[in-house]
Amino acid sequence: MPYLDHAATTPMRPEVWEAMAPFAHELFGNASGAHRYARQAKNAYEEARERAAAVLGCGAREIVFTSGGTEADNLAIKGRALREGRGGIVISQVEHEAVIEAAEFCERLGSPVYAVAVDPQGRVDPTQVSAHVNDDTAVVSVMAANNETGVIQPVREIVDAVAGRAPVHTDAVQAFNSTDVNVEALGVDMLSLSAHKFGGPKGVGLLYVRDGLSLEAVIHGGGQELGRRSGTSNVMGAVGMVVAMELAAADRTGFQRRVGEARDRFVQGLAGVATPTIEKVDVLASHAHLRFPGVRNESLLIRLDRDGLAVSVGSACASGAATVSHVLTAMGVAPEAARESLRFSFGWTNQAEDGDEAARVVLAALDR
Ligand code: PLP
């Protein structure tokens, strides 16, 4: 049965685990030490940093390894707002909770926060972002692509509209598999990634921070990562992440073709019973957000799970009770329509035929 919740997490690529395994055994050293075990770990860690920088088109010193996308987003938002002494924050209404909650935390400490609205297709208007930037803005944050809908945001246009008046951060956690994530081409000052979304291990990610951009640390301790993020270096995680980055970056064209075809065949197979939430703007090759009129999404999800097909409603609160997604609400989707919608996300393990197979399973579930 195809797995269709790759946006939540994706299986680790075998080459990644192979590269990581020695760091659980003979290469176990603490990269901050002063002996041969430490040097071996440190060399591998710094090599991973250089290779990650090469994939992103930046310098090695500009990479801060973190525990994942959530921490990278927190460091970008809180790190800037705190460094600028309650500096202002401009985000969009459809950001991941890691950005929204970090901004709201800073707001409680005194930072003015503005969340820019999106159009009915979920796109941010660069002029709207620019209009809310002022001399006190410490950071602008707009995601490269949305985790629920897959909608791709005009990040380069936002950077151009802001025109250097404030640093721009983008959460590229979902975009990395299928779009060219290069910091120079995007023009951003900060960028978040999470390894487990593109075939790497869970619990490791990174924040790109443009050289010269100053951040307050949010995790204090031994001063690792040039003082920007303390904590014993996750050597095994960084080694695994960079292998996954290289494999994903080298396979983007193939991913778009294979995964995009699986997704398209899936959506076509459901024509007549489901309508795409997004139709007029660019969406990641991996994502399909569909409404099943007259069908409660949670009931369909449970039935599909019984049949072995893993999908997602997009957003659930910590208690497990599904709430209406803030992303769909921001797009003006009525609560009733939101409760009839599911996210299907394809990934590197899927083949084009998986789209047909998954559509058959969904049709059979709907029949029952
Ligand atoms: N940002 C986006 C857009 C995401 O989809 C996710 C994962 O759900 C995160 C951030 C958080 O990443 P992590 O799971 O590594 O904390």
Side-chain angles (χ1 to χ4, degrees), residues 7-8 67-70 73 96 98 143 145 147 171 173-174 194 196-197:
S67 62
T70 299
D73 286 348
H96 188 269
M143 68 205 320
N147 42 303
D171 175 335
V173 166
Q174 293 287 334
S194 171
H196 76 98
K197 307 288 187 178

Side-chain angles (χ1 to χ4, degrees), residues 7-9 66-73 95-99 143 145-148 171-175 192-197 202-205 343:
T9 195
T66 66
S67 62
T70 299
E71 190 193 325
D73 286 348
E95 294 304 306
H96 188 269
E97 288 80 355
V99 165
M143 68 205 320
N146 186 265
N147 42 303
E148 291 183 36
D171 175 335
V173 166
Q174 293 287 334
S192 302
L193 288 185
S194 171
H196 76 98
K197 307 288 187 178
K202 291 170 186 58
V204 60
R343 174 186 74 183

Side-chain angles (χ1 to χ4, degrees), residues 149-183:
T149 59
V151 168
I152 298 171
Q153 297 295 352
V155 174
R156 179 74 230 192
E157 287 89 326
I158 290 168
V159 168
D160 291 343
V162 171
R165 289 173 296 143
V168 178
H169 165 253
T170 193
D171 175 335
V173 166
Q174 293 287 334
F176 190 79
N177 277 308
S178 60
T179 69
D180 184 18
V181 176
N182 176 289
V183 296

Side-chain angles (χ1 to χ4, degrees), residues 181-324:
V181 176
N182 176 289
V183 296
E184 282 314 316
L186 289 169
V188 292
D189 303 286
M190 291 182 284
L191 180 143
S192 302
L193 288 185
S194 171
H196 76 98
K197 307 288 187 178
F198 49 81
K202 291 170 186 58
V204 60
L206 64 79
L207 181 68
Y208 154 75
V209 185
R210 187 181 291 281
D211 210 13
L213 182 65
S214 181
L215 288 180
E216 198 66 49
V218 296
I219 297 182
H220 301 95
Q224 289 89 346
E225 302 298 310
L226 300 176
R228 296 170 293 188
R229 195 277 184 186
S230 290
T232 299
S233 306
N234 180 0
V235 180
M236 185 179 183
V239 166
M241 174 160 71
V242 77
V243 173
M245 279 176 81
E246 289 170 346
L247 291 169
D251 184 38
R252 281 194 185 116
T253 314
F255 185 99
Q256 279 172 12
R257 197 185 54 247
R258 232 175 29 251
V259 175
E261 191 183 335
R263 189 270 316 268
D264 291 346
R265 279 160 69 160
F266 176 69
V267 174
Q268 279 154 20
L270 295 177
V273 296
T275 48
T277 308
I278 313 291
E279 281 185 296
K280 300 192 189 86
V281 295
D282 286 344
V283 170
L284 297 174
S286 42
H287 284 55
H289 198 277
L290 300 177
R291 178 182 178 193
F292 297 84
V295 179
R296 189 66 197 232
N297 57 6
E298 285 164 57
S299 317
L300 182 55
L301 181 138
I302 291 165
R303 197 168 274 273
L304 291 176
D305 179 38
R306 280 199 210 124
D307 296 340
L309 194 69
V311 305
S312 164
V313 288
S315 176
C317 73
S319 70
T323 54
V324 170

Side-chain angles (χ1 to χ4, degrees), residues 16-168:
V16 169
W17 179 241
E18 250 169 61
M20 289 169 70
F23 294 90
H25 305 292
E26 64 269 30
L27 300 175
F28 65 88
N30 182 327
S32 300
H35 43 64
R36 72 185 59 193
Y37 298 92
R39 272 193 301 280
Q40 282 173 331
K42 173 93 176 155
N43 290 343
Y45 195 58
E46 294 310 323
E47 187 197 316
R49 194 190 305 280
E50 287 190 7
R51 285 164 57 185
V55 174
L56 293 178
C58 64
R61 285 171 55 92
E62 297 176 307
I63 301 286
V64 180
F65 285 122
T66 66
S67 62
T70 299
E71 190 193 325
D73 286 348
N74 271 263
L75 179 56
I77 304 294
K78 295 177 186 170
R80 282 299 302 154
L82 295 172
R83 177 51 56 96
E84 295 299 314
R86 303 178 192 164
I89 302 168
V90 179
I91 62 174
S92 84
Q93 289 183 359
V94 296
E95 294 304 306
H96 188 269
E97 288 80 355
V99 165
I100 295 180
E101 296 288 328
E104 287 178 357
F105 170 78
C106 294
E107 192 170 36
R108 294 197 288 279
L109 299 186
S111 282
V113 174
Y114 189 83
V116 177
V118 294
D119 68 17
Q121 293 288 305
R123 286 256 295 192
V124 176
D125 177 355
T127 59
Q128 282 295 310
V129 176
S130 169
H132 290 94
V133 172
N134 59 39
D135 290 348
D136 296 326
T137 307
V139 62
V140 172
S141 182
V142 178
M143 68 205 320
N146 186 265
N147 42 303
E148 291 183 36
T149 59
V151 168
I152 298 171
Q153 297 295 352
V155 174
R156 179 74 230 192
E157 287 89 326
I158 290 168
V159 168
D160 291 343
V162 171
R165 289 173 296 143
V168 178

